[in-house]
Amino acid sequence: MRPLPFLLAMFSVAALAAETPDHPILPIGAPAPDFKLPGADGRTHRLKEFKKAKCLVIVFTCNHCPTAQAYEERVKALVTDYKARGVALVAINPNSAKGVRLDELGYTDVDDTLESMKIRAKQRGFNFPYLDDSPTEKVARQFGPVATPHVFIFDAQRKLRYQGRIDDNERESLVKSRDTRNALDALLAGKEPPATQTKVFGCSTKWEDKSGSNRRWIEKVQKEPVTLQSVDAQALRELRANKSGKVLLVNFWATWCGPCVAEFDDLVETNLRFRHRDFELVTVAANFPDEQEKVLAFLQKHHASGRNLLFGESDKHKLMDAFDPDRNGGVPHTVLLGPGGEVLYRKEGEIDFLELRRRIVPALNRITPWPGMSDAK
C-alpha cells in the first residue's frame, strides 16, 4: 500500500477536468474489438488466440467489487459447462488504479492491480484468462462496460450478439433469468438470443476520469483532525474487552521504532479501507507521557485521523498488563479483536497486510454481510 501523499501525487491536474466523459456501450452487431493484454497467468493474450471458438464471452470484472465477487463461481461454472460446446471465456479488469478510492476496497483483501489479480486468480482457482486493461483502459473504452460484471457475447464471426448481465440476481438462489446462458444456448443452436441486451448491476467502472474525484477525496481525508488521548490502565482493559460491537485493530507502536514507522502509513490506509464498515483502528503509543507532543506531531504528519491513545504512565509493564497480561512488550505489536474481545489475529513484529486483510474481511462480513454474500463462497 502507498502512503497518502504518494496516492495524491498519482492524480494529474489534467484529469480533474474530465469528470463525466461518455463511454458508449458497444452496439449489437459490432465486430469484436481487438486486444492484446497481460494476464494473471503471466502470459499475454490476444483476440486471435480464440479464433476457433464458436462463441466468445468477454466478461468485464474486477477484484474489489462485492457484486463481481458474488459472480465468480458462476463465471467459473460457465467455463466448465460450455467449454466442450466450443465456447471460450475471457475476463478483463477495466478499472484504473487512479479511479478506485480506498473506501471502495472495504469488501476485499486485494486491489485491482495486475499483481493483485494474480493473487485473486490463484486463490479463487480461476479457470479462464483474467486480463488487465487498467493502465490504459484502451480495450474497455471500445466495449464501454457500465459496471462489474458486464458480459459481451460474440458469435463465430465475432459479431456482438448479446451484452448485459450474467443473470438477474446477485444471490444465485434467487435467480429467475439466466440471461448469459440463455444467449449462449440460442447462439449454439443457430438461433437469435431471447434477449440481446439487458441492464447490468454492480460497481461502476472506475475510469481514469474519476481520478479527479479520488484526488479530492484524499485531500479531504488529509484535512481530518488528528487527536491523541492519554489513557489509564482501565481504559486499556476496556479496549481489550471490545464491547463496541466492531472489529478493532489495535496497534502498539512508538516513534523510535523503525518497523512501526515503516508500516504506519499502511495501517492508516487499512483504516480508510474499512472504516465505513464496523471497523476501527486504534493506535497505542508506547512513548512516555512527556513525549505527547512528539507523538501527536508524528500522527498529524501521517494523517492518522482514527483513535490514537498514549498510556498516561511511565511504567510500561502496567501498559502490557492492562491490555494483555500474557504478552511481552515488543513493538510493533498488533491485535485484531472481534466483538467481545475474540482475538482474530495477533502479530509481534512487522505485519503481513494481505494476511491481516484476509482476517478483517470475513470478520466484517459476519457483522455486516454484503448483498450477494449468502451465496458466494
Side-chain angles (χ1 to χ4, degrees):
M1 299 287 290
R2 302 288 191 176
L4 288 181
F6 179 91
L7 290 173
L8 189 59
M10 288 174 59
F11 307 105
S12 66
V13 175
L16 284 170
E19 283 296 307
T20 57
D22 186 24
H23 302 288
I25 301 172
L26 189 70
I28 297 297
D34 197 9
F35 60 81
K36 179 183 176 182
L37 295 171
D41 58 2
R43 297 170 50 201
T44 297
H45 294 267
R46 299 168 175 82
L47 176 65
K48 64 182 181 181
E49 76 181 74
F50 306 101
K51 62 184 179 182
K52 294 182 180 180
K54 295 178 181 178
C55 290
L56 176 62
V57 181
I58 305 290
V59 183
F60 285 89
T61 187
C62 67
N63 292 336
H64 86 271
C65 174
T67 305
Q69 292 176 43
Y71 277 97
E72 285 177 343
E73 291 302 313
R74 275 170 273 183
V75 174
K76 289 165 61 178
L78 283 170
V79 175
T80 300
D81 295 345
Y82 285 90
K83 184 176 182 180
R85 299 175 65 183
V87 175
L89 185 147
V90 177
I92 299 177
N93 167 33
N95 290 336
S96 167
K98 297 179 182 180
V100 183
R101 281 178 20 175
L102 282 172
D103 58 350
E104 292 179 297
L105 301 177
Y107 292 85
T108 179
D109 54 353
V110 291
D111 56 28
D112 284 348
T113 61
L114 179 57
E115 288 307 307
S116 290
M117 290 168 60
K118 294 177 181 178
I119 294 170
R120 185 72 179 177
K122 181 178 180 180
Q123 181 198 27
R124 302 294 289 171
F126 287 173
N127 56 356
F128 49 83
Y130 187 24
L131 313 184
D132 183 29
D133 189 39
S134 60
T136 66
E137 298 182 304
K138 179 180 178 180
V139 175
R141 291 178 189 278
Q142 296 178 75
F143 282 83
V146 175
T148 51
H150 193 155
V151 173
F152 295 79
I153 301 179
F154 298 88
D155 61 19
Q157 288 71 47
R158 295 299 175 263
K159 300 297 183 183
L160 181 64
R161 303 294 295 278
Y162 170 83
Q163 66 85 9
R165 64 196 184 190
I166 293 174
D167 56 44
D168 64 347
N169 206 294
E170 286 174 293
R171 294 183 179 176
E172 191 170 9
S173 60
L174 302 177
V175 170
K176 296 179 181 179
S177 180
R178 300 184 181 275
D179 304 277
T180 290
R181 287 177 176 268
N182 293 341
L184 285 172
D185 290 340
L187 290 171
L188 291 171
K191 300 177 181 179
E192 183 73 9
T196 58
Q197 301 184 74
T198 55
K199 292 183 178 180
V200 296
F201 175 82
C203 302
S204 62
T205 302
K206 301 305 181 286
W207 304 106
E208 185 176 354
D209 311 286
K210 295 185 178 182
S211 62
S213 173
N214 200 345
R215 178 190 179 96
R216 289 190 292 276
W217 179 80
I218 293 174
E219 290 173 339
K220 181 179 178 180
V221 166
Q222 291 187 327
K223 294 177 182 178
E224 292 177 353
V226 177
T227 60
L228 178 62
Q229 178 185 0
S230 178
V231 295
D232 58 16
Q234 179 58 30
L236 291 182
R237 284 191 285 269
E238 292 174 358
L239 180 67
R240 175 64 182 81
N242 189 18
K243 303 299 182 182
S244 67
K246 298 181 178 181
V247 175
L248 293 187
L249 180 60
V250 184
N251 177 255
F252 291 85
W253 70 286
T255 56
W256 42 262
C257 165
C260 301
V261 172
E263 69 183 12
F264 203 86
D265 284 322
D266 293 298
L267 283 166
V268 172
E269 289 198 10
T270 299
N271 188 47
L272 293 176
R273 271 180 178 253
F274 299 112
R275 68 180 186 178
H276 62 291
R277 304 186 69 186
D278 292 303
F279 175 88
E280 184 177 14
L281 168 67
V282 182
T283 71
V284 183
N287 290 70
F288 285 102
D290 60 7
E291 297 178 294
Q292 184 167 353
E293 290 187 8
K294 180 178 181 180
V295 173
L296 180 59
F298 178 92
L299 294 169
Q300 290 172 334
K301 179 180 178 181
H302 291 266
H303 308 285
S305 56
R307 180 152 55 123
N308 303 299
L309 309 179
L310 173 66
F311 190 53
E313 297 188 38
S314 298
D315 188 339
K316 304 296 176 66
H317 296 281
K318 286 185 178 180
L319 180 153
M320 291 185 290
D321 291 341
F323 187 83
D324 190 347
D326 297 326
R327 86 169 184 93
N328 286 309
V331 290
H333 184 82
T334 306
V335 182
L336 185 69
L337 299 173
E342 178 188 6
V343 176
L344 305 175
Y345 171 92
R346 187 198 303 271
K347 182 64 181 293
E348 187 159 319
E350 296 178 67
I351 299 169
D352 180 333
F353 280 90
L354 176 60
E355 179 185 1
L356 175 60
R357 293 192 296 270
R358 287 182 171 172
R359 303 294 181 88
I360 292 173
V361 172
L364 290 174
N365 289 344
R366 287 194 290 271
I367 301 173
T368 52
W370 42 268
M373 196 188 77
S374 63
D375 288 333
K377 297 178 181 179

